[in-house]
């Protein structure tokens, strides 16, 4: 027997394993190179994309600013405004100027447009008829007035929170000269809010911050960053902000750390043209952080695949004949299996088509049933609508005749007062018809944010005729901001059904009280409708939400309202529950998942 020395055995092992070790090392080096290269490429691409995203956002903001640039000078040049500044005690000129400013603000989609005199007191404003009217307010402390008074700039821009309305906005002011004297001037001021712009950023998932010359963020897609500085503010800067009341009651918050407070990614910054503002955008890295690792794994997999191919070819050479037979047998089996799979797929596709058709027909039938139920409920609920409309129409006719006589007599003040009353009456009719149109519309199966309290109030308002005829009264306990994401028309249908049932019960009950409540409970939005009727018999409660089951008399209902409401609540991930309290009250509770909180919403005046 031949003896093999240990040295020769080691060499044989090395000869067999050295190629595998070399291939492994080569694959690791290639994967490392792919990881490094892809990392650099991904970072460079992320930076370019961040700059492009920032450019688009900045252009949008700049366009919103330029849109109102010419309005204050044009308004200040009108003869009406010049006459008001020369004759500030003439109420006729003031009223005409108020109307001019209101029309101009509506035509140019401005939030406010007002005129200041040389002392900074508002003489006319587009919101003259509103509760928070600017007329008579002193804004001499605002920087845009101070700069315009010194005549340092033809047009002055300023961003701040309105001390009267509490709403932030962009102010653009222009000096109005109407005489040779240094005090013969006024200031035209236009204000526009960027809330819609912020909302579009938030809806698009943008991480955008706009800061002023003092590095205080005043625009942000995320409300938590608003009125927070990008750096520590000096005492002098804080005093200036306080004197200007730039951000009203909002004191500058904690300094923003871009690297810590915002998602990890590329940060791009640039100035907004024509302003002292700076806009910052952060493009999150997101899925791009996996690109280097994916590239490295791809190289490893490609190398392993190549190695496997080489091994396969080597084995095929040694076993070509046997493999050929196996291949032929395998191909035959694959063809048989493929034929079976094709046949099974054909049957499955036919079943899927049939099921989709059935689901579409079922959905259409249910939508038609919901719409029919809504229209039937509305027909019963709004029986007194003609009488409600006839009263203001008769009043309008009376006021119209009176106004004609007043105009003929030259009593324009009384005629104007009559016109104001007529305008309020028309607004009530327009609101009523708008609410009716909104409630009667067909569902478009689109999910939106729905305020349960506001929706309940709208339905109660439209049901007031039926409630009055039943001799009932409604006690509302509606919390603010009870929001859900749902189909608006379907939620209105549920509330209409529940309220209609409560009115029917109250009409025959001794106690005429109807209770409507809306609140948030443990992350769920709950809307409840209650009455003091006898409730549902214990034996019938198990069938309460079944179609065509009703406890009403013959001809008073088909038994579909609660069944439809129950199905709608279930489709929205919620539930409709019945409760009979020991106090003798009957309640129906609609419980739906509440809309996730997105931060405290800003209050608007």
């Amino acid at each position: 027997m031949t003896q093999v020395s240990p040295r020769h055995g080691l060499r044989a092992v090395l000869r067999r394993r050295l190629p595998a070790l070399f291939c492994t090392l080569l694959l690791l080096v290639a994967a490392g190179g792919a990881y490094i290269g892809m990392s650099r490429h991904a970072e460079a691409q992320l930076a370019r994309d961040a700059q492009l995203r920032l450019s688009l956002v900045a252009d949008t903001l700049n366009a919103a600013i330029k849109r109102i640039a010419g309005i204050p000078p044009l308004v200040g040049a009108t003869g009406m405004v010049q006459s008001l500044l020369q004759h500030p005690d003439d109420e006729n000129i003031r009223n005409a100027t108020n109307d001019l400013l209101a029309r101009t603000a509506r035509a140019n989609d401005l939030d406010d447009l007002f005129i200041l005199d040389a002392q900074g007191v508002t003489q006319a404003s587009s919101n003259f008829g509103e509760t928070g009217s600017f007329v008579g307010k002193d804004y001499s402390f605002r920087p845009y007035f101070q700069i315009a008074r010194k005549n340092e700039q033809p047009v002055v821009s300023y961003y701040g929170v309105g001390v009267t309305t509490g709403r932030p906005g962009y102010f653009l002011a222009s000096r109005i000269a109407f005489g040779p004297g240094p005090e013969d001037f006024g200031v035209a001021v236009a204000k526009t809010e960027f809330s819609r712009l912020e909302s579009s950023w938030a809806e698009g998932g943008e991480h955008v911050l706009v800061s002023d010359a003092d590095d205080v963020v005043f625009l942000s897609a995320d409300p938590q960053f608003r009125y927070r500085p990008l750096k520590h503010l000096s005492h002098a800067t804080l005093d200036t902000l306080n004197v200007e009341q730039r951000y009203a009651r909002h004191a500058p918050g904690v300094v923003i750390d871009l690297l810590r407070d915002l998602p990890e990614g590329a940060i791009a910054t640039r100035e907004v043209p024509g302003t002292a503002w700076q806009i910052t955008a952060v493009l999150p890295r997101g899925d791009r952080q996996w690109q280097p690792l994916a590239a490295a794994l791809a190289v490893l997999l490609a190398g392993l695949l190549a190695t496997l191919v080489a091994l396969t070819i080597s084995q095929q050479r040694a076993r070509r004949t046997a493999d050929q037979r196996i291949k032929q047998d395998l191909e035959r089996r694959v063809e048989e299996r493929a034929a079976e799979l094709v046949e099974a797929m054909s049957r499955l596709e036919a079943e899927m088509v049939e099921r989709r058709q059935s689901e579409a027909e079922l959905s259409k039938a249910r939508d038609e049933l919901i719409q029919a139920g809504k229209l039937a409920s509305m027909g019963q609920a709004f029986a007194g609508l003609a009488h409600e409309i006839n009263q203001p129409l008769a009043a309008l006719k009376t006021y119209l005749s009176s106004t004609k006589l007043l105009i003929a007599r030259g009593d324009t003040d009384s005629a104007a007062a009559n016109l104001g009353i007529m305008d309020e009456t028309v607004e009530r009719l327009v609101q009523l018809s708008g609410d009716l149109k909104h409630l009667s519309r067909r569902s478009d199966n689109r999910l939106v944010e729905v305020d349960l309290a506001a929706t309940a109030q709208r339905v109660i308002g439209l049901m007031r005729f039926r409630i009055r005829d039943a001799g009932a009264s409604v006690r509302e306990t509606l919390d603010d901001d009870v929001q859900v994401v749902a189909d608006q028309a379907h939620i209105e249908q549920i509330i209409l059904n529940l309220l209609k049932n409560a009115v029917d019960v109250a009409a025959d009950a001794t106690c005429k009280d109807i209770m409507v409540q809306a609140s948030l409970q443990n992350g769920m939005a709950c809307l409840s409708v209650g009455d003091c009727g006898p409730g549902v018999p214990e034996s019938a409660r198990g069938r309460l939400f079944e179609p065509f089951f009703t406890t009403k008399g013959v001809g008073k209902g088909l038994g579909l309202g609660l069944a439809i409401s129950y199905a709608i609540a279930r489709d929205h991930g919620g539930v409709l529950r019945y409760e009979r309290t020991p106090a003798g009250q009957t309640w129906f509770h609609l419980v739906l998942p509440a809309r996730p909180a997105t931060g405290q919403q800003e209050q608007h005046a």
Side-chain angles (χ1 to χ4, degrees), residues 463 466-467 470 472 498-508 514:
M463 286 280 291
R466 183 72 181 278
I467 295 171
L498 298 182
L499 191 59
K500 176 178 171 294
N501 289 343
V503 172
D504 291 341
V505 172
D508 299 328
I514 298 174

Side-chain angles (χ1 to χ4, degrees), residues 85-411:
L85 293 175
Q86 294 172 6
H87 307 286
D89 296 329
D90 192 324
E91 289 300 323
N92 290 330
I93 297 178
R94 187 187 312 279
N95 292 334
T97 306
N98 284 332
D99 291 335
L100 172 64
L101 297 179
R103 292 195 306 271
T104 304
R106 287 194 299 269
N108 294 276
D109 197 20
L110 295 175
D111 291 282
D112 296 300
L113 183 62
F114 51 99
I115 304 297
L116 307 179
D117 61 14
Q119 285 73 42
V121 177
T122 305
Q123 295 297 321
S125 174
S126 61
N127 68 346
F128 66 94
E130 301 177 8
T131 302
S133 172
F134 296 166
V135 177
K137 297 294 193 302
D138 184 355
Y139 296 112
S140 59
F141 60 90
R142 283 298 200 184
Y144 57 76
F145 173 78
Q146 299 290 339
I147 297 174
R149 181 175 63 183
K150 297 176 183 177
N151 201 16
E152 296 176 351
Q153 299 178 18
V155 179
V156 184
S157 61
Y158 181 76
Y159 190 92
V161 176
V163 295
T164 302
T165 64
R167 300 194 304 265
Y170 175 69
F171 296 83
L172 197 66
S174 174
R175 180 185 174 92
I176 308 169
F178 61 88
E183 295 300 322
D184 295 337
F185 78 95
V187 181
V189 185
K191 177 185 177 183
T192 183
E193 299 177 11
F194 293 140
S195 57
R196 289 186 294 272
L197 195 59
E198 288 181 305
S199 298
S200 67
W201 292 344
E203 292 173 359
E206 303 286 356
H207 300 277
V208 179
L209 306 175
V210 181
S211 55
D212 59 18
D214 296 314
D215 290 323
V216 177
V217 173
F218 59 86
L219 288 180
S220 172
D222 190 341
Q224 68 170 319
F225 297 121
R226 199 174 297 137
Y227 311 124
R228 291 174 57 186
L230 295 173
K231 65 179 183 180
H232 291 284
L233 302 179
S234 65
H235 292 292
T237 300
L238 292 174
D239 292 341
T240 300
L241 294 176
N242 186 45
V243 171
E244 294 179 5
Q245 299 185 45
R246 185 183 304 174
Y247 300 119
R249 67 180 184 278
H250 302 285
V254 181
V255 176
I256 299 173
D257 188 335
L258 295 177
L259 298 179
R260 182 191 61 193
D261 297 339
L262 290 170
E264 181 182 358
I267 301 175
T269 303
R270 63 180 291 185
E271 294 183 354
V272 179
T275 70
W277 303 347
Q278 182 172 279
I279 185 168
T280 303
V282 177
L283 183 61
R285 184 168 283 107
D287 294 338
R288 303 188 191 200
Q289 61 185 341
W290 300 105
Q291 290 179 351
L293 181 59
L297 290 176
V299 170
L300 284 176
L301 290 175
L304 291 174
L305 182 60
T307 303
L308 290 174
V309 170
L311 291 175
T312 302
I313 294 174
S314 176
Q315 291 176 356
Q316 284 179 345
R317 290 176 179 175
R319 302 175 55 189
R320 182 171 300 173
T321 303
D323 287 347
Q324 187 65 30
R325 291 195 300 267
I326 294 174
K327 181 180 179 181
Q328 292 175 352
D329 184 59
L330 181 60
E331 288 177 351
R332 178 179 55 79
R333 294 182 180 180
V334 168
E335 290 176 356
E336 293 174 353
R337 185 57 177 168
E340 295 174 359
L341 290 175
V342 168
E343 183 180 357
M345 285 295 294
S346 299
R347 291 196 302 269
L348 181 59
E349 289 177 356
E351 292 176 358
M352 291 176 63
V353 170
E354 183 179 355
R355 181 175 180 180
R356 283 195 293 267
Q357 291 176 347
S358 299
E359 291 177 349
E361 293 174 357
L362 178 61
S363 177
K364 180 179 179 181
R366 190 180 66 179
D367 289 342
E368 293 294 338
L369 188 59
I370 291 174
Q371 184 68 10
K374 177 187 290 186
L375 294 178
S377 298
M378 289 175 61
Q380 296 176 6
F382 309 142
L385 180 59
H387 176 70
E388 188 71 13
I389 293 178
N390 283 336
Q391 283 185 335
L393 287 177
L396 281 175
K397 184 176 180 181
T398 301
Y399 275 108
L400 182 60
S401 301
S402 174
T403 303
K404 290 180 180 179
L405 293 175
L406 292 174
I407 293 175
R409 295 173 184 172
D411 190 353

Side-chain angles (χ1 to χ4, degrees), residues 19-58:
L21 292 174
F22 178 77
C23 290
T24 301
L25 180 61
L26 184 62
L27 283 175
L28 291 176
V29 171
Y35 184 90
I36 295 173
M38 182 56 69
S39 296
R40 294 176 178 175
H41 173 75
E43 289 297 326
Q45 185 63 44
L46 185 66
R48 289 192 295 270
D49 291 346
Q51 288 293 340
L52 178 60
R53 184 75 59 83
L54 177 64
S55 178
L56 293 174
V57 173

